[in-house]
Amino acid sequence: MPQPVNEFGLISKYFAPLADGYAGALGLKDDGALISVEFGYQIVVTCDAIVCGVHFRSEDRPEDVAARGLRVNLSDLAAMGACPVGYLLALAVPSGTDASWFERFSAQLASDQATYNVKLIGGDTVMTPGPLTLSITAFGQIPTGQALTRAGAKPGDKIFVSGNVGDALLGLKLLRGELGSVSASQAAALKNRFLRPEPRIALGQALIGVAHAVIDVSDGLIADIGHICTLANLGARLNISSVPLSLGARAVLGDVPDLLPNLLSAGDDYELVFTAPSSALETLSRISSDTGVMVTEIGEVVATPGVVVIGVGGDEVQMEASGYQHF
Amino acid sequence: MPQPVNEFGLISKYFAPLADGYAGALGLKDDGALISVEFGYQIVVTCDAIVCGVHFRSEDRPEDVAARGLRVNLSDLAAMGACPVGYLLALAVPSGTDASWFERFSAQLASDQATYNVKLIGGDTVMTPGPLTLSITAFGQIPTGQALTRAGAKPGDKIFVSGNVGDALLGLKLLRGELGSVSASQAAALKNRFLRPEPRIALGQALIGVAHAVIDVSDGLIADIGHICTLANLGARLNISSVPLSLGARAVLGDVPDLLPNLLSAGDDYELVFTAPSSALETLSRISSDTGVMVTEIGEVVATPGVVVIGVGGDEVQMEASGYQHF
């Protein structure tokens, strides 16, 4: 039988333990929290909200909601090269939500906190007559003046992406039952890529002083490269044949080749896309090896604004490159 | 005719101007924002979410929603003695929301930013099938180790409150049409106290080194005094006859005296309640004069746990002291 919950009970039972070990959280018992910053460091702060029915599905497990909510924020910190420290959680929950939901939700947060070395330091839990809405503000630290930004791309820079592109979209399609012919293990891997995005934290930090411009893929590969280009008033040439695809994605494309453009326009992969000079190639190879994250050169920055996609045959491909509009 | 809006247009038109003058906001164009902290200072951070239909009414104007969302957070910073610096705004908006709503909402934020000397530095705007939900994370700075907290009350401390108590509840009742016989000017003043809470920022900062424990009244006077007592494992005696009431509140109570207990249990006043030793009385008198904020002694901290309310005749009054449960 569902157990009733109240705000103070929720905080003491499920959330205060997540603040253990961060003295400035004041046990989540005060009006705010205290963040101390080492001399020579800045704070990097980012905020992402996710809404049930929009950014995740009502049938998603509380564990998946927790992981997604936290990790998309950590991905933003990664894209700036920051070392994650903590986060605040604003949770608007439907009144029917029972204790077991909070139990599972907070257990996943605890697990992710251990993985990514972050602590909950504050937040707010409120009731909503609407869908579950989760807003996280994450913060990290970085040596002053060293933050990676989306600006700074230079003509002639090579464009790189971490990991594989498009898996998250295929995972979502599998979860929706829109794709059939994939092996069970490949299907599980693709679904996991959607449900459990992997913030590229070590890679982001390693790119300090190496990359000129960095963004995480949340609007779609082409759109996010476009964001970098727009800020520098430059353009990009993206080679389709260089875009890294997982074995699972290749298997799907073998059956449904028309999906390729969708993979390049889909968000949710949370890989890092960045530009760096050719001279950085050797360094990037070492970084890839050190962090265990594949890094692939997929194009270059050019003077002419706009993102041009080059097909397998070397011709320009016309694509709808608007990317995901969050709103 | 309502104009369509999209995420990137919203950010550039309405929100990016609110970040002007804070370099670390990176024009709201990046994955995160950068906060620099002066040597010898800490960051104080707080987070409050408000939901349409729960924390404000669907008929409230966008200006009121903006002011409320920002000010309740600034009140938390005030209660810790921090100097406000900036905030992040996570906004989940129903899809039918038109451009004029954002125009008015952002104009009020701009006005409050000027009043309280803060800047928008980041956030997220997403669509929701549910009610408008606004989550703000505000941050300020404070000399390291100087933050006021809810802990630290000592036996024999006097208890003080800023401003008047209960106006916000009466304002809400007036807005709901639940109260009749108040003059137009008093009604306007009371409504304003609900719609536009006034964060006691200067007072909070002045209380550093003076107050032992501080909280802002958001759960209700008795409940919030209870929070302070619980953390110190102490109790309090609260003298009803000392509780400061506005002329408007006195006028209402003249007609409906039974409302007094409600005023002591109602949240939303966002006044500061704090404890300080008797020896601080003269200092507090000067602080009150300097900040232009009335400060009234309303009780004392005692060894026996629990909050005891002393009536006009000197007898203990039994009250329902649970306060506002946010969830």
Side-chain angles (χ1 to χ4, degrees), chain B:
Chain B
M1 181 178 162
Q3 295 167 35
V5 289
N6 72 58
E7 184 188 15
F8 299 118
L10 279 178
I11 294 173
S12 63
K13 184 164 185 185
Y14 301 114
F15 295 134
L18 299 175
D20 277 354
Y22 194 98
L26 304 175
L28 305 188
K29 289 176 177 168
D30 226 292
D31 293 293
L34 299 168
I35 302 172
S36 295
V37 188
E38 289 175 68
F39 183 67
Y41 283 80
Q42 285 176 302
I43 295 283
V44 177
V45 65
T46 184
C47 177
D48 266 308
I50 59 174
V51 179
C52 182
V54 181
H55 306 90
F56 59 94
R57 308 165 313 140
S58 58
E59 60 267 40
D60 285 347
R61 303 179 313 148
E63 290 86 351
D64 298 327
V65 177
R68 185 169 192 77
L70 182 55
R71 293 177 186 203
V72 298
N73 276 282
L74 297 181
S75 179
D76 282 323
L77 294 182
M80 300 193 78
C83 174
V85 175
Y87 65 102
L88 297 97
L89 167 66
L91 197 56
V93 287
S95 50
T97 310
D98 71 11
S100 72
W101 190 92
F102 290 97
E103 180 86 42
R104 295 170 59 186
F105 179 81
S106 58
Q108 180 63 40
L109 288 178
S111 168
D112 272 13
Q113 287 191 186
T115 303
Y116 301 111
N117 198 24
V118 293
K119 298 283 188 183
L120 177 69
I121 69 156
D124 196 12
T125 304
V126 297
M127 195 179 62
T128 179
L132 183 77
T133 301
L134 190 154
S135 168
I136 284 184
T137 302
F139 66 97
Q141 65 173 24
I142 194 158
T144 300
Q146 298 295 301
L148 301 167
T149 69
R150 297 179 178 184
K154 293 184 169 51
D157 273 2
K158 302 300 181 188
I159 301 172
F160 303 86
V161 69
S162 65
N164 291 308
V165 169
D167 285 353
L169 176 69
L170 298 177
L172 177 60
K173 284 184 174 293
L174 283 163
L175 287 164
R176 286 180 178 157
E178 294 173 9
L179 290 176
S181 57
V182 188
S183 76
S185 66
Q186 283 177 343
L190 290 171
K191 289 176 187 171
N192 198 53
R193 287 270 289 162
F194 174 77
L195 293 172
R196 301 292 168 98
E198 183 62 45
R200 300 300 190 185
I201 295 167
L203 176 63
Q205 290 177 60
L207 291 177
I208 291 177
V210 178
H212 286 158
V214 188
I215 192 170
D216 67 330
V217 179
S218 57
D219 291 342
L221 182 66
I222 297 175
D224 287 317
I225 291 173
H227 293 325
I228 283 178
C229 291
T230 301
L231 282 176
N233 198 26
L234 295 168
R237 291 173 68 87
L238 171 66
N239 300 309
I240 277 192
S241 58
S242 304
V243 172
L245 300 174
S246 68
L247 288 176
R250 288 176 187 278
V252 172
L253 285 179
D255 291 333
V256 199
D258 290 351
L259 272 179
L260 182 56
N262 300 52
L263 301 193
L264 305 184
S265 302
D268 290 330
D269 280 322
Y270 295 98
E271 296 294 348
L272 297 187
V273 173
F274 58 95
T275 82
S278 300
S279 60
L281 272 171
E282 202 170 318
T283 304
L284 286 172
S285 173
R286 182 181 51 72
I287 288 172
S288 172
S289 170
D290 288 351
T291 58
V293 179
M294 188 170 73
V295 170
T296 308
E297 182 182 328
I298 56 173
E300 63 181 338
V301 178
V302 298
T304 311
V307 179
V308 174
V309 179
I310 310 297
V312 178
D315 297 328
E316 284 190 23
V317 181
Q318 294 304 316
M319 295 195 58
E320 176 51 59
S322 62
Y324 183 68
Q325 286 270 348
H326 293 277
F327 177 71

Side-chain angles (χ1 to χ4, degrees), chain A residues 251-277:
Chain A
V252 172
L253 287 177
D255 291 333
V256 199
D258 291 351
L259 271 179
L260 181 57
N262 300 52
L263 300 195
L264 305 184
S265 302
D268 290 328
D269 281 324
Y270 296 98
E271 295 293 347
L272 297 186
V273 173
F274 59 95
T275 82

Side-chain angles (χ1 to χ4, degrees), chain A residues 16-288:
Chain A
L18 298 175
D20 277 352
Y22 193 96
L26 305 174
L28 304 187
K29 288 177 178 168
D30 225 293
D31 292 294
L34 300 168
I35 302 173
S36 295
V37 188
E38 289 176 68
F39 183 67
Y41 283 79
Q42 285 175 303
I43 295 282
V44 178
V45 65
T46 185
C47 177
D48 267 307
I50 60 174
V51 179
C52 183
V54 180
H55 306 90
F56 61 93
R57 308 164 313 139
S58 58
E59 60 267 40
D60 285 347
R61 303 180 312 149
E63 290 85 352
D64 298 328
V65 177
R68 184 169 192 79
L70 182 55
R71 294 178 185 202
V72 299
N73 277 283
L74 298 182
S75 179
D76 282 323
L77 294 182
M80 300 194 78
C83 174
V85 175
Y87 65 101
L88 296 95
L89 167 67
L91 197 56
V93 287
S95 51
T97 310
D98 70 12
S100 72
W101 190 92
F102 290 97
E103 180 85 42
R104 295 169 60 185
F105 179 81
S106 59
Q108 179 63 38
L109 288 178
S111 168
D112 272 13
Q113 286 191 187
T115 303
Y116 301 112
N117 198 23
V118 293
K119 297 283 188 185
L120 178 68
I121 69 156
D124 197 12
T125 304
V126 296
M127 194 181 61
T128 179
L132 182 78
T133 301
L134 189 154
S135 169
I136 285 184
T137 301
F139 65 97
Q141 65 173 23
I142 194 160
T144 300
Q146 297 296 300
L148 301 167
T149 70
R150 296 180 179 184
K154 293 184 170 50
D157 273 2
K158 302 301 180 186
I159 301 172
F160 302 86
V161 69
S162 65
N164 292 307
V165 169
D167 285 352
L169 175 69
L170 298 178
L172 177 59
K173 284 183 176 290
L174 282 163
L175 286 164
R176 286 180 177 156
E178 294 174 10
L179 290 176
S181 56
V182 188
S183 75
S185 66
Q186 284 176 344
L190 290 170
K191 290 177 187 171
N192 198 53
R193 287 271 289 162
F194 173 77
L195 294 171
R196 302 291 168 98
E198 183 63 45
R200 299 301 190 183
I201 294 166
L203 176 63
Q205 292 178 60
L207 290 178
I208 291 177
V210 178
H212 286 159
V214 187
I215 192 171
D216 68 329
V217 180
S218 57
D219 291 341
L221 182 66
I222 296 175
D224 287 316
I225 291 175
H227 294 325
I228 284 179
C229 291
T230 300
L231 282 177
N233 197 27
L234 295 169
R237 292 172 68 86
L238 170 66
N239 300 310
I240 277 192
S241 57
S242 303
V243 172
L245 300 174
S246 68
L247 288 176
R250 288 176 188 276
V252 172
L253 287 177
D255 291 333
V256 199
D258 291 351
L259 271 179
L260 181 57
N262 300 52
L263 300 195
L264 305 184
S265 302
D268 290 328
D269 281 324
Y270 296 98
E271 295 293 347
L272 297 186
V273 173
F274 59 95
T275 82
S278 299
S279 58
L281 271 171
E282 202 170 319
T283 304
L284 287 172
S285 172
R286 181 181 50 73
I287 288 172
S288 171

